[in-house]
Amino acid sequence: GAPIMVVHMPKAWDATAGVGREFVDRLVSERKNLDGSSLQIALENRPRFRARDAGLILTTPQELRGFADAHDFPLTLDTAHIGTLDLDLIESYDYFRGRLANVHLSDLRDVSPRIEAQPLLHSYVKQHQLPGAGKLPLRNFIAMLAREKYSGPMTFELSPTALNIWNPRA
């Protein structure tokens, strides 16, 4: 009964061969299989953990939007992921306009160089922080979505560490 299934992009360097090709072929095939059903597959924008991640397929909002337009996919905008690409959140919305089906709302904070050097910790410590705990202009973003009359789901995607899971009182 879920209306949206969110899909992350694969760790693939080439959309025409190997894992990249398999992903694209299967994704497009499954979208076509769902025509006429109430379930949509929404493509989520990717984060950048390392500099080399910029070379992965469908990393930039421009690439993701082009693919979504070519194959008629809705999009999920993850605010923290946009921040990892050092892009302006408000300006980046232009790539999602008209295809936005879901928003993953969380903040992004600066971390120490020691944590920055540990990409495996980024989702827990740097990304997916409580709104207001980081540096993203989330209040302005939400206001813009309201002006745009966005009415889709907005999901708090939060790290367990952002919620202080080790503290029973929290």
Side-chain angles (χ1 to χ4, degrees):
I4 298 171
M5 179 176 71
V6 177
V7 175
H8 286 215
M9 300 305 98
K11 188 172 184 177
W13 306 98
D14 184 353
T16 63
V19 171
R21 176 85 262 154
E22 290 173 26
F23 174 82
V24 168
D25 288 347
R26 183 71 183 264
L27 189 63
V28 170
S29 171
E30 292 304 324
R31 197 216 44 81
K32 288 177 183 174
N33 288 340
L34 291 173
D35 279 350
S37 78
S38 60
L39 178 63
Q40 293 183 305
I41 300 172
L43 310 178
E44 182 177 345
N45 58 299
R46 167 197 305 288
R48 182 182 69 207
F49 293 100
R50 300 170 182 88
R52 70 177 187 237
D53 290 351
L56 293 168
I57 65 169
L58 305 172
T59 293
T60 68
Q62 300 94 315
E63 293 170 313
L64 189 61
R65 177 57 188 252
F67 183 84
D69 285 346
H71 301 287
D72 196 26
F73 280 100
L75 296 171
T76 295
L77 191 162
D78 186 306
T79 57
H81 292 179
I82 287 290
T84 67
L85 298 172
D86 297 325
L87 298 173
D88 181 274
L89 177 59
I90 305 299
E91 290 175 12
S92 294
Y93 174 71
D94 284 342
Y95 295 106
F96 295 82
R97 185 176 273 116
R99 288 210 169 270
L100 188 62
N102 189 343
V103 173
H104 287 180
L105 188 72
S106 61
D107 219 333
L108 177 76
R109 67 185 194 128
D110 290 323
V111 293
S112 71
R114 200 170 104 199
I115 297 294
E116 190 67 47
Q118 300 296 320
L120 294 176
L121 297 177
H122 287 194
S123 284
Y124 298 106
V125 182
K126 181 178 179 178
Q127 301 174 35
H128 305 126
Q129 301 302 300
L130 284 166
K135 60 185 181 179
L136 297 177
L138 296 177
R139 185 178 306 270
N140 293 342
F141 177 70
I142 292 169
M144 181 197 60
L145 289 177
R147 285 190 304 276
E148 295 272 330
K149 301 196 182 330
Y150 172 72
S151 62
M154 187 174 293
T155 306
F156 287 110
E157 186 176 19
L158 302 173
S159 160
T161 59
L163 297 173
N164 296 322
I165 61 163
W166 54 86
N167 181 343
R169 287 185 182 167

